[in-house]
Amino acid sequence: MMVIQDSASEARARQQEAETSGADADALNQLGIKYRSGKGVPRNIRQALEAFLQAANQGHVGAQFNLGLIFSSGEDLPIDYARAIAWYTKAAEQDYVRAQFNLGVIYSNSEVAQHDIAQALLWFRKAADQGHVGAQNCMGRMYINGSGVAQDFAEAAAWFEKAAQQGDPAGQNNLGMLYGNGKGIAQNDKLAAHWYRKAATQSYAIAQFNLALLLEQGKGTEKDLVEAALWYEKAAEQGNIRSQCRIAAMYESGQGVTQDFVQAAKWYQRAAEHGNGKAQYTLALMYDEGRGVTADGSAALAWYRKAAEQGQVDAQFVLGLRHDCGQDTAQDQQQAFAWYRKAALQHHARAQFNLGLMYEFGHGTAADMVEAYRWYTLAEANGETKAAAQKAYLEEKLSTEQKQLAQASARAADKG
């Protein structure tokens, strides 16, 4: 007699049918968790959904929440906020705190069709009243921003304190910030440092930066550059860009740490790669000077350009110089003119002077004595000593009307 073997898929289907047949809601929910995680069984999101649905339709709050997760996370299926909201709401109405919080998150998201600040506030408040620290922080931020409520820093502080007293590092940091700026509560640097330290010891990077800043400045605590450097480096290692810049500067100057240009360059590079314009400019200088890195004019030029494109004024001026004299790039006076102008419009005195020269001699632009006089006037006002002589030379060539026009234009530009 021939025995016909089931295929693997048929066997699994029969196994699931046997598992779910007559199973109670708790067992179905646990089965769904197994199939979703792949722990103990092959991962299968379709079977997880079937198990969760059976449990959820029996009123199982955990399964309802898990369905909300599947439809809102985008990890297993395309995001479907309408279905997520429907299942989260069923769980939230049974006071399931995580569902209440997640509803608040969806409704507060301005990029989704279901965005509704009033609903966000409603569900965050319900979760916060149950002690959910994430919701308490969200309530605090809503009161700070005046989202769905009148702006009220005192109320924000009360919510942050609820989270902070539960040991939540975000709440501790947020409360520290309010003590630091004196909004909603009396300004108190000592209490700011106290709460920052509690969050910092939990590896909360923003609090580590904030604590380091107070230690560096001696506000609310004794000044301690060595400890400040330690906290900056801890936060920097977690990717906090401001901390990367600060610890880089400390290694560069030898404050709080042994001077080490290699370490300085390393941290400037980290911040530069994350798009920090000041770090990009400083790293460019280090490549120019061969400090902490091998001198490399091309690398310096590349970092100056990145910083300049972000509006870093010193980098814009240096890039203008590079194009003006053809250093590490082809000489291009039109590019030089363009970068000098960008820096000049940000009140960079030497850029204003060089722009005046380009207008005077027609380099990179059409010669224009009135514009040259205007930029020399601005450069002189901003402290460029060489501008006075060029300005005096042009005064002999310009009419009274032209000088008045240039001076009026300079005054308008200076106010801008």
Side-chain angles (χ1 to χ4, degrees), residues 209-210 213 232 239-247 276:
F209 169 79
N210 288 334
L213 195 61
Y232 279 138
N240 183 274
I241 297 171
R242 294 172 71 188
S243 293
Q244 290 170 344
C245 291
R246 286 305 308 141
I247 192 62
N276 184 276

Side-chain angles (χ1 to χ4, degrees), residues 88-111:
Y88 278 145
T89 300
K90 287 180 183 292
E93 287 173 346
Q94 296 184 67
D95 291 329
Y96 196 77
V97 68
R98 292 173 65 195
Q100 292 172 337
F101 175 71
N102 285 9
L103 275 176
V105 171
I106 292 175
Y107 281 123
S108 66
N109 185 347
S110 61
E111 296 182 2

Side-chain angles (χ1 to χ4, degrees), residues 7 41 50 86 187 194 197 229 231 239 248 292 346 352 360 370 378:
S7 69
V41 294
E50 288 178 6
Q187 200 277 337
H194 166 79
R197 187 175 291 279
W231 287 113
Q346 293 196 69
Q352 291 171 333
E360 183 177 354
V370 174
L378 286 167

Side-chain angles (χ1 to χ4, degrees), residues 36-243:
R36 188 179 184 216
S37 66
K39 292 181 179 178
V41 294
R43 191 172 189 277
N44 189 314
I45 190 60
R46 182 183 66 80
Q47 291 180 342
L49 271 174
E50 288 178 6
F52 284 143
L53 280 167
Q54 287 187 53
N57 286 328
Q58 293 181 45
H60 192 283
V61 67
Q64 293 167 345
F65 173 77
N66 286 328
L67 285 170
L69 274 181
I70 286 175
F71 290 120
S72 65
S73 68
E75 294 175 8
D76 305 300
L77 296 172
I79 289 175
D80 186 336
Y81 284 122
R83 296 178 76 179
I85 286 172
W87 286 112
Y88 278 145
T89 300
K90 287 180 183 292
E93 287 173 346
Q94 296 184 67
D95 291 329
Y96 196 77
V97 68
R98 292 173 65 195
Q100 292 172 337
F101 175 71
N102 285 9
L103 275 176
V105 171
I106 292 175
Y107 281 123
S108 66
N109 185 347
S110 61
E111 296 182 2
V112 306
Q114 294 85 358
H115 176 61
D116 186 328
I117 287 296
Q119 283 292 307
L121 183 67
L122 169 72
W123 291 112
F124 279 144
R125 190 181 295 278
K126 285 181 180 291
D129 284 340
Q130 291 199 69
H132 191 286
V133 293
Q136 290 168 343
N137 278 302
C138 287
M139 288 296 297
R141 285 193 291 272
M142 292 184 86
Y143 275 105
I144 283 177
N145 297 327
S147 298
V149 291
Q151 189 178 55
D152 188 332
F153 288 99
E155 188 70 15
W159 283 112
F160 289 148
E161 186 159 14
K162 288 177 186 289
Q165 293 291 1
Q166 292 191 70
D168 177 65
Q172 292 166 344
N173 180 70
N174 289 335
L175 186 59
M177 290 178 69
L178 289 184
Y179 273 117
N181 59 35
K183 290 188 175 180
I185 43 183
Q187 200 277 337
N188 189 319
D189 285 328
K190 188 173 181 179
L191 282 174
H194 166 79
W195 287 112
Y196 287 149
R197 187 175 291 279
K198 283 185 174 291
T201 56
Q202 296 187 66
S203 300
Y204 197 71
I206 299 172
Q208 291 172 337
F209 169 79
N210 288 334
L211 177 61
L213 195 61
L214 291 185
L215 286 162
E216 186 178 4
Q217 297 171 345
K219 293 175 66 176
T221 184
E222 289 187 17
K223 186 172 183 175
D224 189 332
L225 296 180
V226 173
E227 189 182 0
L230 288 171
W231 287 113
Y232 279 138
E233 194 147 14
K234 286 179 183 290
E237 287 167 352
Q238 294 192 68
N240 183 274
I241 297 171
R242 294 172 71 188
S243 293

